[in-house]
Amino acid sequence: MNNMLTLALSKGRIFDETMPLLKAAGIEVLEDPEKSRKLILPTNHANVRVVLVRASDVPTYVQYGGADLGVTGLDTLIEHGTDGLYQPLDLQIAKCRMSVAVRSDFDYAAMVKQGARLKVATKYTTIARDFFATKGVHVDLVKLYGSMELAPLTGLADAIVDLVSTGNTLKANHLVEVERIMDISSRLVVNQAALKMKQADIRRIIDAFSAALPAAK
Ligand code: AMP
């Protein structure tokens, strides 16, 4: 058990896009998370397993050693904080951007210029707070857990801070992107104590992932 290596992943895009990287490291997950109800998935290596956790819980599992490594979006990582986490690789998967969006009839530029106080709804309060503080814009943040697009449409907020990929969700809700805060992609995170104690095994995975990234090809 002591030499068991545990990788925390969330179902969906991160799981799917991590599989080719694991394969490059010679690791194959033996069960399909969409078909199985299991939360601990075995691999073809007896000492490597995958645990399925909520996307926002991946940094927590890795920080406290419930998993040795994990894959998490930069957005989730910033919101959680990076204490106890070593971040060796940008995996360049699940790419999107963090943006500010408003209703198409809301004159964001004029409001910012006037120094108006903006009501901003978001799940990403740390990123939003830092961004508007750096910009010198006063904001009242409204924390939401989903369907951020609804907030400007119902008068709950003037603007939202959310992830944008194709822009189709914004368009369907008559919202426009007015600021691009940062590019987002998924990161490999490693528990700092595990990195010391299981160095050879973890290094092997980091090196195989790194060699399989687009930039390395
Ligand atoms: P889109 O319509 O393609 O711009 O996608 C936007 C919606 O998908 C938003 O509700 C986002 O929260 C979500 N989304 C897009 N890309 C990602 C990603 N890489 N990770 C998590 N959620 C995402």
Side-chain angles (χ1 to χ4, degrees), residues 75-118:
D75 51 325
T76 306
L77 190 57
I78 294 174
E79 292 298 324
H80 175 273
T82 56
D83 269 7
L85 297 174
Y86 172 62
Q87 310 157 57
L89 282 181
D90 177 351
L91 299 176
Q92 301 169 46
I93 59 175
K95 282 187 181 180
C96 57
R97 55 193 185 270
M98 187 68 74
S99 292
V100 181
V102 298
R103 269 165 60 151
S104 48
D105 59 0
F106 182 83
D107 194 343
Y108 173 81
M111 291 298 169
V112 168
K113 211 167 161 196
Q114 279 170 30
R117 208 177 169 92
L118 292 181

Side-chain angles (χ1 to χ4, degrees), residues 37-212:
R37 285 173 184 272
K38 284 189 189 168
L39 297 176
I40 300 181
L41 307 178
T43 71
N44 60 334
H45 289 259
N47 69 329
V48 181
R49 63 182 184 176
V50 168
V51 292
L52 295 175
V53 304
R54 271 190 80 130
S56 50
D57 290 336
V58 168
T60 308
Y61 267 83
V62 178
Q63 178 183 1
Y64 295 111
D68 301 300
L69 329 94
V71 177
T72 183
L74 178 61
D75 51 325
T76 306
L77 190 57
I78 294 174
E79 292 298 324
H80 175 273
T82 56
D83 269 7
L85 297 174
Y86 172 62
Q87 310 157 57
L89 282 181
D90 177 351
L91 299 176
Q92 301 169 46
I93 59 175
K95 282 187 181 180
C96 57
R97 55 193 185 270
M98 187 68 74
S99 292
V100 181
V102 298
R103 269 165 60 151
S104 48
D105 59 0
F106 182 83
D107 194 343
Y108 173 81
M111 291 298 169
V112 168
K113 211 167 161 196
Q114 279 170 30
R117 208 177 169 92
L118 292 181
K119 208 174 220 192
V120 178
T122 188
K123 181 174 153 187
Y124 308 98
T125 47
T126 301
I127 293 173
R129 189 175 294 112
D130 286 355
F131 174 74
F132 286 109
T134 302
K135 212 175 146 63
V137 173
H138 291 286
V139 291
D140 293 314
L141 293 177
V142 180
K143 169 95 184 184
L144 291 178
Y145 293 90
S147 302
M148 260 85 81
E149 302 82 16
L150 201 53
L153 307 179
T154 53
L156 182 67
D158 304 310
I160 60 170
V161 168
D162 196 8
L163 296 173
V164 180
S165 178
T166 60
N168 289 340
T169 305
L170 292 181
K171 205 176 289 168
N173 291 293
H174 310 287
L175 300 178
V176 290
E177 193 175 355
V178 287
E179 304 256 23
R180 197 174 169 137
I181 300 178
M182 63 175 78
D183 289 329
I184 299 287
S185 57
S186 293
R187 309 299 161 112
L188 182 67
V189 287
V190 181
N191 176 281
Q192 283 176 351
L195 182 64
K196 291 196 190 100
M197 284 173 348
K198 305 176 184 178
Q199 196 161 25
D201 285 341
I202 290 177
R203 262 293 145 213
R204 204 169 303 126
I205 290 181
I206 294 173
D207 291 346
F209 277 20
S210 173

